[in-house]
Structures are given as C-alpha cells and as structure tokens.
Amino acid sequence: MSAGLRLAQLGDQPGFEVASATLGGHRFERHSHDEFVISANLRGEERVWLDGRTFDAGPGAITCYNPGQIQGGGVAEDQPWQFVSLYIAPGSLAEMLGLQRLEFECPSGRQPALAGALAEAVERVLGDDAFVRQRGEERLTLLLAEIACAMGGRLPHEALEGGGRIANLQDWLAADLARQPSLDEMAAYLGLSRFHLLRSFQKQVGLSPRQWAMQLRTRRAQALLRAGLPATEVAHELGFADQSHLNRHFRAAYGVSPGSFQRALR
C-alpha cells in the first residue's frame, strides 16, 4: 500500500477541506486545529490521545475533534493506516446544519456504515468529474448531520419546505442550466441551511438539486440533438465541460452516445 495524501477544498469560501490519507507506521505529535476535525478510520489500529485521555479508534471508527482540543496519536511502526478527514471552520459547520453553534460531546464511536459512506463521499469529491464532485459535496453535507447526531449534537427541528419554494429553485436552475450555481448559492437563494435545502429538495423531488439539474440538462441535450445541433455545440450550450463530459452523462441517462442518438434519427 503506497503512502499518499490527497486534499480538496469544497464550497465557495475557505473553511471546508477534505483529505484522504494512506500512511504507514505514522504518529502525529500533540497539536490542535482551529477547525472541527472529523476522521473516519478505514484501516489500522489508531491510538488516540485527546485532552489527556487515551482511547483506541480501529477500522470503522469515527473520531470528532472540537476546535482547539489537543490531540495526537497514530498507529504502530509496522502497521498500515488509511483514513479520511474533514476540516471545517466552526461557523461553516454550524451554518451548514442550520445551527447557532455546535460542539461534539462524544469524541469517538464505532460507526462502520457511516465511516464507509464518509470515505465514499470523500472519494467522489477528490475525483475529476465536476458533477461527481458536486454530488459528493451534497452527500457529505447530509452525512455531517448524521455524524453530529451520532456524536451528541442536536439538529434544529425545521419543517420541510413546501412545494412553492422548491419549485422556485427549480425554475431558477432551469432558467440557465449552463450557470450551475454552487450548493452555497442555492441555499442562499432560498435562505436555508445547506442541510435543510438538501433534505427538503430530496423529500419533494426524489433527487438532489444537482441530480435534478443534470437530468434536465441531458433532456434538453436530447431536444437540441433532435434539432440537428452538433454535439460540441450542445455541450457548450448546456455548460458541459466538453463533449466527452456530455457523452458520459448522456449515455448514462439514455444508453447511447449523442452521436449514436443523432444517427438513429436519420
């Protein structure tokens, strides 16, 4: 298993980073962070030192560090170690979840399903495809709510949004599919937290905002291809990165490439 560290920043402003690490026999000296740190251990038996306490966090464990807490630890010298981590500014995390403030009461717990889901979402946001990265960001936001609850946090009891506001967002997205606003922009447009936006949209539509916008883009691509527009122009018109990006998502939706679809119409 080769060693490595991959990092990515999410959102419109600094304050939300993800990391995927593969290390061997590594230990961190005692230190602290300005941010919340949320880690999911995937491989290795980590020994954690946190504010004078020592505990084990093996595979499937999620460990949460509040800002300023002194932490340290690692694995034995001959042991492989793999984990993913999130680094989130205190105000950013609270705002995402619709809270005034948040503090984790429980530092660690074995949550293998949640750890696996977190690792999968991090892999998405570290990928090359913009749509996959965006979907990973949405998934991470929802997982943060689950982690907050599992680690002693309390989420606000917000009622799900009615059809009118979600329909307004759909109209806004449909008006300019090439623009593709960020999750932060969509939440601000409705005056909601990111978590509340995603939960309400998913409940009403059955898809995330990004999934809904992508299916509309591929549907409009189909109409433009029927009208005889070249696939390169269709990709540009609808904000795809390039023709191969259009090809990938069009094939996923309809089972054929845009070129094959046009040829079948002749």
Side-chain angles (χ1 to χ4, degrees):
M1 183 173 62
S2 59
L5 175 67
R6 293 177 292 153
L7 293 163
Q9 179 181 300
L10 302 182
D12 296 335
Q13 302 294 330
F16 188 5
E17 296 177 357
V18 301
S20 175
T22 301
L23 307 171
H26 192 83
R27 293 192 63 81
F28 293 103
E29 294 296 327
R30 293 175 187 177
H31 63 283
S32 61
H33 291 267
D34 290 330
E35 309 88 358
F36 285 102
V37 181
I38 301 169
S39 293
N41 192 16
L42 308 176
R43 186 178 182 187
E45 294 292 336
E46 181 184 9
R47 187 72 169 167
V48 179
W49 189 95
L50 178 62
D51 282 350
R53 296 164 291 167
T54 303
F55 58 88
D56 294 320
I62 289 181
T63 306
C64 297
Y65 307 94
N66 293 312
Q69 284 190 299
I70 307 299
Q71 59 178 281
V75 298
E77 185 174 342
D78 60 346
Q79 191 173 151
W81 189 20
Q82 184 178 8
F83 60 90
V84 296
S85 294
L86 313 181
Y87 303 87
I88 313 174
S92 297
L93 181 55
E95 184 178 354
M96 284 181 203
L97 301 179
L99 299 168
Q100 293 297 317
R101 64 181 301 276
L102 174 66
E103 182 173 300
F104 293 115
E105 296 178 6
C106 178
S108 184
R110 193 169 186 280
Q111 301 276 348
L114 200 50
L118 193 64
E120 181 182 351
V122 168
E123 283 301 313
R124 289 184 180 185
V125 301
L126 291 172
D128 296 326
D129 186 286
F131 176 68
V132 174
R133 291 198 303 270
Q134 291 166 348
R135 290 285 295 121
E137 184 183 0
E138 291 176 340
R139 182 67 176 132
L140 282 176
T141 299
L142 295 173
L143 287 172
L144 283 171
E146 293 186 42
I147 292 169
C149 291
M151 298 301 176
R154 294 181 181 178
L155 296 182
H157 296 288
E158 296 173 309
L160 292 174
E161 286 302 313
R165 297 182 77 182
I166 297 302
N168 288 342
L169 178 60
Q170 289 175 300
D171 289 342
W172 187 60
L173 293 172
D176 186 359
L177 288 171
R179 184 168 51 85
Q180 301 177 59
S182 70
L183 191 55
D184 289 328
E185 288 177 299
M186 288 188 278
Y189 180 77
L190 292 186
L192 301 174
S193 67
R194 290 168 48 144
F195 169 68
H196 191 194
L197 161 67
L198 290 172
R199 188 178 65 163
S200 297
F201 200 102
Q202 183 83 32
K203 181 71 173 180
Q204 182 174 316
V205 181
L207 301 171
S208 77
R210 296 277 177 45
Q211 285 177 303
W212 183 85
M214 179 58 77
Q215 64 81 30
L216 185 56
R217 290 167 78 195
T218 54
R219 194 171 86 207
R220 288 195 180 171
Q222 194 178 52
L224 293 173
L225 291 166
R226 281 196 178 101
L229 204 67
T232 52
E233 293 185 33
V234 172
H236 177 74
E237 178 75 17
L238 295 174
F240 288 94
D242 50 33
Q243 186 176 339
S244 65
H245 190 214
L246 167 64
N247 289 351
R248 184 159 59 252
H249 291 285
F250 193 92
R251 186 185 293 276
Y254 301 116
V256 295
S257 69
S260 297
F261 176 75
Q262 278 191 318
R263 287 191 292 274
L265 294 174
R266 295 170 185 163

